[in-house]
Amino acid sequence: MDRYSKEIGKKIQRPYSATLQQPAQPVQGRLDFNEGIHEMQSQLQNNRLDSALNYFEKMYNDLLINKAKNQSVERQDYYEGERPNGVRNGSGKMKYQNGQVFEGNWKEDMREGHGVLYSGDMRIVYQGEWKNDKYEGKGIVNNLKRVEFSETFDFKDLAKIGEYWDKYEGEFVNGMKHGFGTLYLTNGEKFKGQFQFDKANGIGTFYRKSGDEITAEWCDNKLNLSY
């Protein structure tokens, strides 16, 4: 019982302590909320304030226990699928604490092979190959925080793209864009070329809305003007 409840008990018990006929017994077992309210009213009408407080304490503790149980259930991951010897191996579906859902292949309790990761509202976050629980191989990642814009993008510095991109389709290593791929911007433009560690590195082509194509070399997302 919290401090507020204890203070209520002290204030109520003092003026009526002389009317209590015998110590009240603790309330056992689970208690329905409406039943508890009814019993508290009945005990108060009979000046059994200690019993009423026992019912109040029981109801309060039950609420805390139920809240803790619900939070515990919400925090748990839920898996259904192949699980020989208690280890996720083969095809399976996992619903995560944050609401995301993965459907695909598993190896030694890790996502490996082909699989699809969904957001809590079942939009596709990533679909493609996995290894050691990370994007690895060919795949498509969608930007669920995409920001629309209509202006022509300054291709000289791809680091400024921010959230102005729609999706990336290409190769991944260790969860990062790495290898050859295409980054689609929300204004209809795109960059196709080499990536290393999530950045444009190497020869690539930027396709502008005007129809122009700029083929050049980028280093850490920046255009190499000496190319």
Side-chain angles (χ1 to χ4, degrees):
M1 189 185 300
D2 59 18
R3 183 178 63 81
Y4 178 75
S5 303
K6 292 179 179 179
E7 290 298 320
I8 291 178
K10 292 178 182 179
K11 292 179 181 179
I12 294 178
Q13 287 181 14
R14 284 171 187 154
Y16 290 93
S17 59
T19 65
L20 300 178
Q21 299 172 1
Q22 58 183 5
Q25 298 299 315
V27 181
Q28 303 294 330
R30 293 185 59 82
L31 185 65
D32 177 77
F33 185 81
N34 291 329
E35 177 188 352
I37 293 293
H38 175 76
E39 290 295 337
M40 283 178 60
Q41 292 173 339
S42 175
Q43 297 297 331
L44 287 170
Q45 289 173 358
N46 294 321
N47 286 337
R48 294 306 307 270
L49 301 183
D50 54 348
S51 293
L53 287 168
N54 279 345
Y55 276 101
F56 174 79
E57 181 177 9
K58 176 61 178 173
M59 292 167 62
Y60 179 81
N61 289 335
D62 283 351
L63 286 172
L64 292 181
I65 292 172
N66 288 336
K67 181 179 180 181
K69 286 182 177 179
N70 291 336
Q71 289 177 339
S72 176
V73 170
E74 292 174 356
R75 286 194 297 265
Q76 292 179 356
D77 296 336
Y78 177 75
Y79 174 81
E80 56 182 13
E82 296 178 274
R83 202 170 191 171
N85 300 318
V87 179
R88 292 187 291 272
N89 270 306
S91 178
K93 177 179 179 180
M94 174 75 87
K95 183 174 182 180
Y96 295 97
Q97 301 170 12
N98 61 4
Q100 289 187 333
V101 176
F102 172 81
E103 291 186 82
N105 293 320
W106 297 79
K107 182 179 179 180
E108 301 295 329
D109 272 340
M110 290 187 177
R111 294 168 291 190
E112 185 144 335
H114 187 271
V116 182
L117 180 66
Y118 298 91
S119 65
D121 55 1
M122 296 306 292
R123 291 181 293 167
I124 295 177
V125 177
Y126 172 82
Q127 57 182 335
E129 300 302 312
W130 297 72
K131 186 177 181 180
N132 293 330
D133 247 3
K134 295 181 179 180
Y135 311 159
E136 181 96 12
K138 293 183 178 180
I140 302 172
V141 63
N142 296 300
N143 182 13
L144 303 189
K145 297 179 180 180
R146 66 198 301 270
V147 177
E148 300 288 346
F149 81 113
S150 57
E151 296 81 5
T152 298
F153 186 77
D154 180 9
F155 59 88
K156 297 182 184 68
D157 188 358
L158 299 183
K160 294 180 179 179
I161 288 177
E163 299 296 346
Y164 296 126
W165 63 281
D166 182 46
K167 67 178 180 178
Y168 167 82
E169 182 174 359
E171 296 175 305
F172 293 85
V173 172
N174 200 32
M176 295 179 288
K177 296 185 287 289
H178 197 94
F180 187 81
T182 303
L183 185 66
Y184 296 85
L185 279 62
T186 57
N187 69 344
E189 297 180 324
K190 64 183 178 182
F191 172 80
K192 181 182 289 187
Q194 294 293 328
F195 289 82
Q196 288 183 349
F197 307 109
D198 265 343
K199 296 179 180 180
N201 268 295
I203 305 301
T205 301
F206 191 89
Y207 296 82
R208 308 191 77 181
K209 295 173 63 175
S210 61
D212 293 338
E213 299 179 8
I214 295 90
T215 298
E217 182 182 44
W218 276 260
C219 182
D220 289 340
N221 277 335
K222 296 185 183 297
L223 182 68
N224 183 359
L225 298 177
S226 63
Y227 173 75

